Amino acid sequence: MSTGVRRRMGVEERRQQLIGVALELFSRRSPDEVSVDEIASAAGISRPLVYHYFPGKLSLYEAALQRAADDLAGRFVEPHEGPLGARLLRVMRRFFDFVDDHGPGFAALMRGGPAVGSSTTNALIDSVRQAAYDQIMAHLGVTRAPARLELVVRSWISLAESTALIWLDGRRIPRGELETQLVHDFAALAAVSAAYDEETAALIRRALKDEPPTGPFSDLAVRLIALAS
Amino acid sequence: MSTGVRRRMGVEERRQQLIGVALELFSRRSPDEVSVDEIASAAGISRPLVYHYFPGKLSLYEAALQRAADDLAGRFVEPHEGPLGARLLRVMRRFFDFVDDHGPGFAALMRGGPAVGSSTTNALIDSVRQAAYDQIMAHLGVTRAPARLELVVRSWISLAESTALIWLDGRRIPRGELETQLVHDFAALAAVSAAYDEETAALIRRALKDEPPTGPFSDLAVRLIALAS
């Protein structure tokens, strides 16, 4: 009595489906705790069929991670319009959306460890960091960054990662506050470098010349002046 | 014609000697690239004798890492005397001394990867971070930190790590500048949290009440005000 129309998936389509199922599972729990049996069951296929498409759990994990890395890198893309503070805040919102969606998997990956620390996974993490760095430099309008500005941006990216990890560990501060705080932290770290390096100061001054009095950078400046007095 | 007095080392003494030799080698190059043969040769003993004391390279690596972790945690200990900025600057000097001494090994460890990412090594890294956190909180005179202050301190510790890693990658900024910059970064990140959280503001204000006009915190404030005007 079956209609007989249940369509068989093509090879690439099946691979993409498996990657999606695996990413979902690897996001919700530490990759250590996810078995190939579970992935097969969630995809509605047999375990041997999973191995037909992927040689093992590691290669499936790396494929899922590649998809997540592409997704995350895409979230850094932001039109070059309007004040910088507002642009950065929108990117932070999308970054925390990603962290929220992939919490346990993100934490396990960034904390390293035997299940997730391979040269492939490290290279993927580095590629996402580099994508974030390139986007920020493009928004700042800087093509050749002085060493101190490069340090500010790279170290702020690591600050965003660690802030997200600390948030995931208990979620004791609302994420909206942390998104704004990271925008403020960027301004604060840039200001510290600018205070001691004229080249960085000139670049930052130029990038921030269109900040409105209502933006996050101006709000921080007003509050800091009030705090100091 | 030998005098026959070449002393044989006791078990614990030999273990400690091997750990020292291994730490030296694991510090200078990525642990991947260091072989047990090389450790045996540097220690002046046979390869089988190394295995008599340590079951394998990983256990020797972990023992060397434990010694490095104890060393690093010890460098955070600073008398509770004088202005906070100066104390933090002295700790940063000792931290960069450590990073300088153990550069390639520190970088390989902190970047994770198959050779170095195990649950034991992750636990050691976390224990050093916790030691740094406990020291800073003790200097701030805080026993129960509000969530925002905890975030400032933990995220600044990760900033110090990433700044050291970026410094090791090319050493394009003199380390003395980075030591001072990290002290300034601490003040800047604390000020951002204080600007939006009264409890943190009160704790920071109390901790900084004895800062002299010549200290790193005051110098930063003066420069930032000049920059803003």
Side-chain angles (χ1 to χ4, degrees), chain B residues 86-194:
Chain B
R87 295 184 213 169
L88 194 52
L89 187 55
R90 283 192 291 271
V91 172
M92 285 299 95
R93 295 237 158 91
R94 293 197 295 266
F95 172 61
F96 270 83
D97 284 341
F98 177 91
V99 171
D100 206 359
D101 284 350
H102 302 283
F106 178 80
L109 174 65
M110 300 309 290
R111 293 183 51 78
V116 291
S118 72
S119 50
T120 305
T121 58
N122 283 344
L124 275 171
I125 293 171
D126 282 343
S127 76
V128 173
R129 286 177 180 148
Q130 188 61 40
Y133 177 83
D134 292 343
Q135 285 295 326
I136 292 170
M137 284 302 174
H139 282 273
L140 293 176
V142 174
T143 42
R144 278 178 55 91
R148 281 169 192 78
L149 183 60
E150 177 175 346
L151 176 69
V152 165
V153 174
R154 291 202 190 277
S155 60
W156 177 81
I157 290 167
S158 92
L159 191 75
E161 292 169 15
S162 59
T163 299
L165 285 172
I166 293 168
W167 174 67
L168 283 174
D169 184 14
R171 305 194 177 204
R172 286 177 299 145
I173 302 176
R175 52 168 273 196
E177 284 183 34
L178 296 180
E179 294 159 8
T180 313
Q181 183 186 301
L182 280 165
V183 175
H184 292 148
D185 288 346
F186 182 84
L189 296 177
V192 167
S193 266

Side-chain angles (χ1 to χ4, degrees), chain A residues 203-214:
Chain A
L203 290 168
I204 296 289
R205 223 179 257 125
R206 195 191 62 194
L208 298 188
K209 68 178 163 32
D210 296 328
E211 285 305 298
T214 53

